[in-house]
């Protein structure tokens, strides 16, 4: 029915079963990954399962691949890329190769940036092998509860996913993967979402995330695509501002 379709679209449900908790008084999503919540907290001790700040969910020791440990408070004041990935997944491995270069460029430009690897590997050994290629920090593989809480916090539905946070721990973009692949020189870091994008193979994934307006222009004439952009940019900005004011995703 139409109502069912509206609900599927509103909550961007891409696979089932899917369980989403909502605050009835405000209509806001409290938690996207309800199935993980029930698995991790069968007694309901953490009810009402609302989003916690990143610093609280990540709290504890982190690893470097040389065996050195550091406390998660070391991330404070930096932009953070929370990287959900696994060695068994080929798109993850190819993104990691690009990301290692991006990380190096951003650090060399003097930006405060750290990446946190949250592994979905199937064994400690494959985690270690994969992490040995990474110059950043990771949640210890054995700390399954913390890895699961981070998955829950961001409603991760597939890998690779790179969530970019600002220095306060708020989400700048969930589309870090697309941004990194589209901006190899990292000129746009930290990748604040743009109201209008040129459609490419790598960012087409966003068409699945909600309603989109796609404007077709004659690409032979460069002036035309620029004029089209000028036309829809203010409209897009207005829509984004409206949702931001309601504290919702546009």
């Amino acid at each position: 029915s139409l109502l069912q379709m509206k609900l599927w679209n509103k909550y961007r449900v891409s696979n089932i079963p899917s369980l989403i908790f909502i605050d009835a008084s405000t209509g806001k999503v409290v938690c996207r990954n309800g199935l993980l919540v029930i698995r991790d907290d069968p007694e309901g001790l953490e009810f009402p399962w609302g989003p916690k700040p990143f610093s609280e969910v990540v709290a504890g020791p982190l690893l470097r691949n040389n065996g050195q440990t550091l406390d998660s408070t070391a991330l404070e004041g930096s932009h953070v890329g929370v990287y959900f990935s696994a060695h068994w997944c080929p798109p993850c491995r190819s993104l990691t190769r690009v990301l290692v270069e991006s990380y190096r460029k951003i650090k060399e430009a003097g930006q405060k940036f750290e990446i946190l690897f949250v592994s979905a590997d199937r064994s400690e050994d494959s985690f270690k092998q994969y992490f040995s290629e990474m110059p950043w920090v990771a949640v210890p593989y054995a700390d399954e509860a913390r890895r699961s809480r981070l998955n829950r916090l961001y409603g991760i539905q597939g890998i690779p996913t790179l969530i970019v946070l600002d220095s306060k721990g708020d989400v700048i973009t969930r589309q870090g993967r697309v941004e990194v692949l589209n901006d190899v020189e990292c000129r746009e870091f930290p990748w604040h979402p743009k109201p209008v994008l040129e459609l490419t193979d790598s960012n087409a994934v966003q068409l699945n995330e909600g309603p989109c307006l796609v404007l077709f222009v004659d690409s032979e004439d460069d002036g035309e695509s620029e004029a089209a952009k000028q036309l829809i940019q203010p409209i897009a900005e207005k829509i984004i501002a409206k949702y931001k004011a309601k504290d919702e995703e546009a």
Side-chain angles (χ1 to χ4, degrees), residues 95 98-106 111 113 162 164 173 175-192 194 197-198 200 202-203:
L95 179 60
V98 179
L99 200 50
V100 168
E101 288 306 304
S102 304
Y103 178 76
R104 193 175 52 75
K105 284 175 188 154
I106 293 164
Q111 301 265 18
F113 181 52
L162 178 67
V164 183
T173 178
Q175 300 290 342
R177 174 193 187 181
V178 172
E179 298 291 356
V180 164
L181 295 175
N182 273 350
D183 179 24
V184 178
E185 292 305 314
C186 307
R187 290 201 182 95
E188 306 278 333
F189 176 83
W191 303 301
H192 287 279
K194 292 193 197 66
L197 291 174
E198 196 162 306
T200 64
S202 57
N203 67 25

Side-chain angles (χ1 to χ4, degrees), residues 42-187:
E43 306 285 308
L45 302 176
E46 291 178 41
F47 182 83
W49 304 305
K52 296 187 167 78
F54 169 70
S55 57
E56 190 181 317
V57 177
V58 78
L62 303 175
L63 296 177
R64 289 202 178 279
N65 64 15
N66 60 6
Q68 182 196 352
T69 62
L70 66 162
D71 191 74
S72 57
T73 50
L75 300 175
E76 285 169 15
S78 292
H79 283 81
V80 177
V82 190
Y83 184 36
F84 297 86
S85 187
H87 191 261
W88 53 261
C89 146
C92 291
R93 291 200 300 275
S94 54
L95 179 60
T96 298
R97 285 192 289 275
V98 179
L99 200 50
V100 168
E101 288 306 304
S102 304
Y103 178 76
R104 193 175 52 75
K105 284 175 188 154
I106 293 164
K107 300 280 267 196
E108 279 173 5
Q111 301 265 18
K112 295 190 78 174
F113 181 52
E114 196 47 77
I115 293 177
L116 174 67
F117 172 40
V118 183
S119 166
D121 288 291
R122 291 173 177 151
S123 72
E124 176 105 34
D125 282 347
S126 67
F127 160 75
K128 280 187 175 142
Q129 183 195 342
Y130 194 27
F131 187 41
S132 70
E133 303 163 21
M134 300 179 183
W136 44 75
V137 299
V139 176
Y141 185 78
D143 195 343
E144 201 176 324
R146 194 161 28 140
R147 289 191 290 126
S148 186
R149 280 198 299 272
L150 284 159
N151 271 282
R152 253 162 55 193
L153 179 62
Y154 298 116
I156 301 303
Q157 298 206 336
I159 54 171
T161 295
L162 178 67
I163 310 254
V164 183
L165 310 179
D166 67 15
S167 54
K168 298 198 297 287
D170 296 327
V171 174
I172 292 177
T173 178
R174 300 177 58 86
Q175 300 290 342
R177 174 193 187 181
V178 172
E179 298 291 356
V180 164
L181 295 175
N182 273 350
D183 179 24
V184 178
E185 292 305 314
C186 307
R187 290 201 182 95

